[in-house]
């Protein structure tokens, strides 16, 4: 035999009670609605930002190591790396001959220059000197035109490939291919436009759409080779474990720099995952803040619901007496009021989710792509029901313990 | 034997004051008896009803309801006994205002864990017995006082209890409607139910076959009514 009376009946009884006090119920759910909106939008925004970030940094390639003077992500003082030497072009060449498991090596260097087309100027644009190997180490591809070729590099061609944002901001509706533009004082011919990467710039990450690629050789003759710091991207050959490859790269670099076994590395090995990790840290803090706000509003909402439930229990003392007289046990009364409080909160939760869909649609339109995932909806509903159970428990317990004769005498 | 109380007392403590609502009362009521409890206000009628109806436990004494000793039961056990063996009809009807007639009458069956299909059959049957089938989906506030009390009676008898208790069932009704309600109770008695009612009115009490008079928490008299005597004569002849 079932231990407890029919849940459909219990649910119906709860709905009857809530319907009898519609406006009061709706007001009570406000705190819950806000709490649920907070939880859903925080999670959705975090997901959206996360996806977007990962998408844009994916251009760096997950199996590519970047050797550079400083780590991309570090804690503490920037100046701790000041004694490190710049990476040199010839170190890249030595690395190229030394590494056995590398598929490709791509040295790059960069500088910020104002760029100009006709009368329009963009300030402090990242100019990157690179080689045709960029196409191997990075997943990004040109959307129109072509990328730099080995021939461009060898013959120091003054050609460039621009990011999608440069095209938009500098050329507008004009077709940029074969147009001549100024990088600092030098004239370069546009040969390609890169596909849009989506900006990771919102967390201080690199903005891959706002940069210009030029042959590394022409870069050095235009902007100088003295005191230049290089980055070296090294991509592992297929089937090589990245950790092993990293070990090989570190060993090779130490050999090139002639470090003694007791000396620390005076260079850094970076990879995409470090950016993702750093991003996750920042996002973690934001999510925690969101959850604290959620917690506070659910708590306030829960207190409101508790208050209403106390009122409801007192108002219905006689009804409780009647229910007990015809055979309701403590547990039946307890569950009746728990059903009522969780249904109130569930209604608040559903309102909150509906509202969140609206807000998300707005975010989608104005800020970034974001979608509410099914697990988030599920979590939100669960959270609202749990809030209902927590806030309804004390009033429901009080109701369940009422003495039937005294409850029946209550006027 | 429907019920048997031995040396029951009930004491209410209010601060330093003690009220002895019942003082050493013993009483046996057989199956299919029709009993009226009468007495002045404050004599302990409702207290007695509450104990007989298992809503409250006596301070001292024993109470056997059919074959069960209920004087020592806890809250939930008493609730279970009330659900299976007792039906209540109150002076103020005490229906759930938000629920329609059907759902009011169905309630004891829900608490009794009866399966839905069976609930429907039993509920419809009880509503039919009090002649409210066409009102089954009305809310209490759409019904007259007499109709509401009929709903309460249907609720009291829906799970075929051994005893139906009615505390001033006609107290809030005009005399015509009151007579109508008493007619229903008479019918239930003829059908084999045990009925115990509390009333102030001699006329109502005359429907019963036995009248118990309370005064100051004691049974003053326990008499057979003219109606019972009449029925007995019919039987004897
Ligand atoms: N819960 C209670 N707490 C304290 N005293 C009570 C309680 N219930 C009843 N009494 C007292 O017990 C005595 C008997 O009360 P009871 O309600 O049984 O009388 P009654 O015969 O039903 O009266 P009435 O005809 O007015 O309904 C009264 O003195 C009453 O004040
Ligand atoms: Mg009374």
């Amino acid at each position: 035999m079932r231990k407890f009376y029919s849940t459909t009946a219990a649910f119906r009884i709860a709905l009857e009670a809530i319907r009898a006090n519609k406006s009061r119920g709706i007001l009570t759910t406000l705190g819950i609605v806000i709490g649920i909106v907070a939880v859903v939008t925080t999670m959705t925004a975090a997901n959206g930002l996360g996806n977007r970030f990962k998408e844009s940094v994916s251009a760096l390639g997950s199996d590519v190591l970047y050797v550079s003077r400083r780590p991309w992500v570090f804690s503490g003082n920037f100046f701790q790396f000041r004694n490190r030497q710049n990476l040199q072009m010839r170190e890249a060449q030595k690395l190229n001959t030394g590494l056995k498991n590398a598929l490709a090596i791509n040295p790059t260097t960069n500088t910020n220059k104002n760029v100009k087309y006709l009368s329009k100027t963009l300030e402090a644009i990242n100019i990157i000197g690179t080689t045709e190997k960029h196409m191997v180490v990075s997943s990004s591809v040109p959307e129109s035109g072509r990328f730099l070729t080995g021939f461009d590099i060898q013959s120091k061609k003054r050609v460039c490939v621009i990011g999608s944002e440069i095209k938009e901001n500098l050329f507008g509706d004009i077709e940029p291919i074969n147009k001549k533009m100024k990088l600092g004082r030098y004239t370069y011919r546009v040969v390609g436009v890169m596909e849009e990467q989506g900006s990771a710039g919102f967390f201080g990450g690199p903005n891959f759409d706002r940069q210009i690629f030029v042959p590394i050789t022409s870069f050095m003759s235009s902007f100088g080779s003295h005191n230049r710091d290089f980055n070296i991207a090294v991509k592992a050959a297929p089937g090589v474990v990245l950790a092993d490859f990293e070990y090989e790269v570190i060993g090779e670099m130490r050999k090139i720099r002639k470090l003694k076994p007791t000396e620390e590395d005076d260079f850094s090995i970076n990879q995409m995952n470090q950016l993702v990790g750093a991003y996750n840290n920042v996002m973690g803090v934001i999510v925690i803040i969101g959850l604290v706000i959620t917690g506070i509003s659910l708590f306030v909402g829960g207190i409101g619901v508790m208050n209403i439930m106390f009122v409801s229990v007192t108002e219905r003392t006689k009804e409780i007496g009647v229910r007990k007289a015809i055979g309701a046990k403590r547990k039946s009364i307890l569950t009746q009021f728990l059903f009522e409080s969780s249904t109130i909160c569930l209604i608040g939760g559903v309102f909150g989710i509906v509202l969140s869909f609206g807000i998300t649609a707005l975010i989608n339109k104005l800020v970034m792509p974001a979608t509410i995932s099914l697990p988030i909806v599920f979590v939100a509903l669960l959270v609202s029901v749990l809030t209902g159970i927590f806030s309804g428990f004390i009033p429901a317990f009080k109701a369940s313990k009422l003495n039937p004769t005294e409850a029946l005498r209550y006027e | 034997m429907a019920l048997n109380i031995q040396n029951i007392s009930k004491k209410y403590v209010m601060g330093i004051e003690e009220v002895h609502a019942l003082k050493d009362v013993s009483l046996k009521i057989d199956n299919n008896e029709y009993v009226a409890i009468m007495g002045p206000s404050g004599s302990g009628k409702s207290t007695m009803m509450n104990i007989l109806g298992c809503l409250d436990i006596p301070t001292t004494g024993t109470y056997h309801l059919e074959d069960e000793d209920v004087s020592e039961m806890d809250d939930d056990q008493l609730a279970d006994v009330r659900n299976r063996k007792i039906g209540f009809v109150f002076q103020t009807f005490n229906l759930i205002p938000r629920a329609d007639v059907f759902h009011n009458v169905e309630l004891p069956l829900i608490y009794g864990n009866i399966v839905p299909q069976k609930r429907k059959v039993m509920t419809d049957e009880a509503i039919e017995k009090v002649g409210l089938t066409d009102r089954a989906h009305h809310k209490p506030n759409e019904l007259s006082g007499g109709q509401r009390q009929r709903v309460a009676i249907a609720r009291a008898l829906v799970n075929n209890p051994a005893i139906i208790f009615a505390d001033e069932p006609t107290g809030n009704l005009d005399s015509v409607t009151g007579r109508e309600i008493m007619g229903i109770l008479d019918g239930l008695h003829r059908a084999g139910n045990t009925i115990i009612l509390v009333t102030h009115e001699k006329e109502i009490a005359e429907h019963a076959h036995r009248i118990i008079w309370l005064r100051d928490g004691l049974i003053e008299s326990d008499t057979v009514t003219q109606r019972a005597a009449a029925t007995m004569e019919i039987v004897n002849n």
Side-chain angles (χ1 to χ4, degrees):
Chain A
M1 202 187 92
R2 285 170 311 161
K3 267 266 185 286
F4 177 59
Y5 76 103
S6 143
T7 41
T8 43
F11 196 65
R12 193 201 71 231
I13 288 167
L15 281 180
E16 277 168 7
I18 295 164
R19 214 176 297 141
N21 269 309
K22 264 189 229 101
S23 49
R24 192 168 81 185
I26 287 169
L27 284 180
T28 318
T29 61
L30 206 64
I32 309 293
V33 172
I34 294 170
I36 292 302
V37 167
V39 68
V40 173
T41 45
T42 310
M43 304 300 270
T44 302
N47 266 355
L49 285 174
N51 288 341
R52 190 158 174 198
F53 186 85
K54 278 169 203 149
E55 221 169 80
S56 61
V57 298
S58 73
L60 293 171
S62 61
D63 54 353
V64 181
L65 299 178
Y66 292 83
V67 185
S68 44
R69 184 177 163 206
R70 277 186 295 263
W72 289 345
V73 181
F74 57 88
S75 53
N77 197 324
F78 187 78
F79 293 106
Q80 61 186 310
F81 308 110
R82 70 174 178 279
N83 289 333
R84 288 188 172 182
Q85 281 176 21
N86 283 342
L87 268 103
Q88 315 271 322
M89 190 63 185
R90 59 183 160 73
E91 289 177 321
Q93 278 143 12
K94 281 185 190 163
L95 205 54
N96 198 11
T97 40
L99 288 176
K100 289 177 187 65
N101 290 313
L103 178 70
I105 289 192
N106 184 40
T108 61
T109 185
N110 67 311
T111 185
N112 284 346
K113 291 284 177 225
N114 293 353
V115 302
K116 197 172 161 192
Y117 174 68
L118 299 180
S119 61
K120 224 177 191 174
T121 304
L122 296 179
E123 284 181 10
I125 297 301
N126 194 19
I127 314 286
I128 300 175
T130 186
T131 74
E132 76 282 6
K133 293 282 173 28
H134 180 82
M135 285 290 97
V136 185
V137 297
S138 167
S139 64
S140 55
V141 290
E143 160 203 271
S144 63
R146 60 170 177 87
F147 196 70
L148 307 171
T149 61
F151 181 71
D152 291 332
I153 315 297
Q154 278 155 31
S155 47
K156 287 195 196 176
K157 287 260 183 211
R158 290 247 176 104
V159 290
C160 66
V161 178
I162 62 176
S164 60
E165 210 178 305
I166 307 279
K167 177 197 169 200
E168 224 164 88
N169 294 352
L170 203 56
F171 290 91
D173 292 334
I174 302 167
E175 170 57 52
I177 305 289
N178 280 330
K179 296 288 180 317
K180 297 219 161 106
M181 64 182 289
K182 290 256 185 198
L183 308 184
R185 290 189 288 122
Y186 301 89
T187 304
Y188 278 72
R189 185 167 56 90
V190 180
V191 293
V193 179
M194 297 303 281
E195 210 173 58
E196 185 179 344
Q197 294 293 298
S199 167
F202 43 81
F203 282 116
N207 184 344
F208 296 116
D209 295 326
R210 206 176 159 77
Q211 57 192 16
I212 298 175
F213 295 106
V214 300
I216 195 162
T217 45
S218 349
F219 182 101
M220 288 196 285
S221 64
S222 294
F223 308 115
S225 56
H226 184 65
N227 252 347
R228 205 148 273 299
D229 185 24
F230 288 82
N231 287 295
I232 308 164
V234 282
K235 187 182 168 91
V240 177
V241 178
L242 196 64
D244 296 342
F245 186 57
E246 183 175 357
Y247 193 75
E248 191 193 348
V249 172
I250 292 173
E252 204 50 40
M253 273 304 293
R254 289 182 66 91
K255 240 198 280 174
I256 293 167
R257 293 229 153 156
K258 301 197 173 65
L259 296 177
K260 296 196 189 84
T262 51
E263 282 175 314
E264 275 184 41
D265 293 350
D266 59 353
F267 55 89
S268 296
I269 309 285
N270 295 299
Q271 52 178 305
M272 187 184 96
N273 280 350
Q274 288 165 337
L275 286 189
V276 175
Y279 166 84
N280 283 344
N281 286 345
V282 174
M283 210 55 223
V285 173
I286 293 175
V287 167
I288 285 171
I289 293 170
L291 290 184
V292 167
I293 295 172
T294 302
I296 292 171
S297 41
L298 283 179
F299 182 77
V300 172
I303 295 287
V305 172
M306 187 186 292
N307 191 31
I308 283 300
M309 290 312 293
F310 270 123
V311 172
S312 184
V313 167
T314 308
E315 273 176 0
R316 277 144 68 192
T317 302
K318 189 148 190 172
E319 174 193 322
I320 295 163
V322 173
R323 288 181 186 273
K324 288 203 153 189
I326 61 178
K329 295 189 177 146
R330 284 184 175 192
K331 211 167 138 193
S332 318
I333 300 295
L334 186 81
T335 17
Q336 178 192 334
F337 284 96
L338 285 184
F339 254 90
E340 198 172 314
S341 62
S342 20
T343 306
I344 289 177
C345 291
L346 189 64
I347 291 170
V350 170
F351 269 122
I353 289 169
V354 170
L355 212 64
S356 305
F357 270 101
I359 292 173
T360 308
L362 219 67
I363 292 179
N364 233 322
K365 212 164 166 192
L366 303 178
V367 194
M368 60 168 190
T371 41
I372 295 179
S373 70
L374 211 60
I376 291 178
V377 171
F378 183 74
V379 165
L381 292 178
L382 191 73
V383 163
S384 44
V385 169
L386 285 180
T387 309
I389 290 174
F390 276 114
S391 50
F393 192 81
I394 301 174
F397 189 69
K398 181 187 157 194
S400 76
K401 283 211 325 187
L402 285 176
N403 172 302
T405 46
E406 271 160 35
L408 278 169
R409 282 158 59 99
Y410 184 88
E411 289 304 328
Chain B
M1 184 85 61
L3 62 84
N4 181 3
I5 56 174
Q6 289 297 321
N7 309 103
I8 288 280
S9 75
K10 182 73 187 179
K11 184 172 75 179
Y12 293 108
V13 183
M14 303 180 65
I16 50 164
E17 210 184 331
E18 285 185 357
V19 180
H20 291 267
L22 288 178
K23 309 161 184 165
D24 195 38
V25 175
S26 298
L27 176 68
K28 288 180 187 174
I29 293 176
D30 266 324
N31 284 329
N32 198 23
E33 276 202 78
Y34 196 167
V35 182
I37 299 173
M38 297 190 76
S41 186
S43 58
K45 302 183 295 293
S46 293
T47 305
M48 176 108 126
M49 267 301 242
N50 289 341
I51 289 173
L52 294 181
C54 297
L55 282 169
D56 208 353
I57 48 169
T59 312
T60 60
T62 58
Y63 177 16
H64 288 266
L65 178 63
E66 297 191 304
D67 46 0
E68 286 178 282
D69 183 354
V70 294
S71 34
E72 301 284 321
M73 285 186 173
D74 69 21
D75 277 11
D76 278 352
Q77 286 170 317
L78 287 175
D80 187 49
V81 169
R82 289 194 295 272
N83 187 256
R84 284 184 289 115
K85 298 193 168 174
I86 291 167
F88 287 100
V89 179
F90 302 96
Q91 178 176 353
T92 53
F93 322 134
N94 288 351
L95 301 176
I96 309 293
R98 305 177 300 275
D100 65 13
V101 168
F102 183 91
H103 285 134
N104 264 289
V105 174
E106 186 194 27
L107 212 48
L109 304 176
I110 292 175
Y111 292 131
N113 282 324
I114 310 290
V115 294
Q117 305 90 300
K118 204 167 159 201
R119 282 208 306 256
K120 169 125 178 57
V121 175
M122 292 171 83
T123 308
D124 285 340
E125 208 172 288
I127 294 173
E128 199 188 323
K129 271 187 197 158
V130 297
L132 283 177
T133 305
D134 56 334
R135 296 293 155 94
H137 295 290
H138 287 236
K139 294 268 170 72
N141 63 7
E142 297 159 358
L143 301 175
S144 70
Q147 287 171 329
R148 289 184 207 186
Q149 196 61 302
R150 283 197 268 160
V151 176
I153 292 173
R155 182 178 67 186
L157 59 84
V158 70
N159 51 352
N160 304 314
I163 310 171
I164 290 173
F165 288 91
D167 194 346
E168 307 261 12
T170 60
N172 279 20
L173 302 173
D174 62 66
S175 55
V176 178
T177 323
R179 240 174 280 141
E180 206 179 287
I181 292 301
M182 288 316 293
I184 295 177
L185 289 178
D186 292 350
L188 291 175
H189 172 247
R190 273 196 304 277
N193 277 292
T194 308
I195 292 173
I196 301 175
L197 64 91
V198 167
T199 182
H200 276 105
E201 292 168 73
K202 190 85 188 128
E203 196 196 329
I204 298 295
E206 282 299 332
H207 283 259
H209 293 187
R210 179 179 169 190
I211 296 179
I212 294 167
W213 265 92
L214 290 182
R215 187 180 292 280
D216 293 335
L218 287 167
I219 295 179
E220 192 183 57
S221 70
D222 186 347
T223 53
V224 170
T225 60
Q226 286 169 353
R227 190 171 164 189
T231 356
M232 279 206 310
E233 249 164 56
I234 295 163
V235 173
N236 287 345
N237 295 344

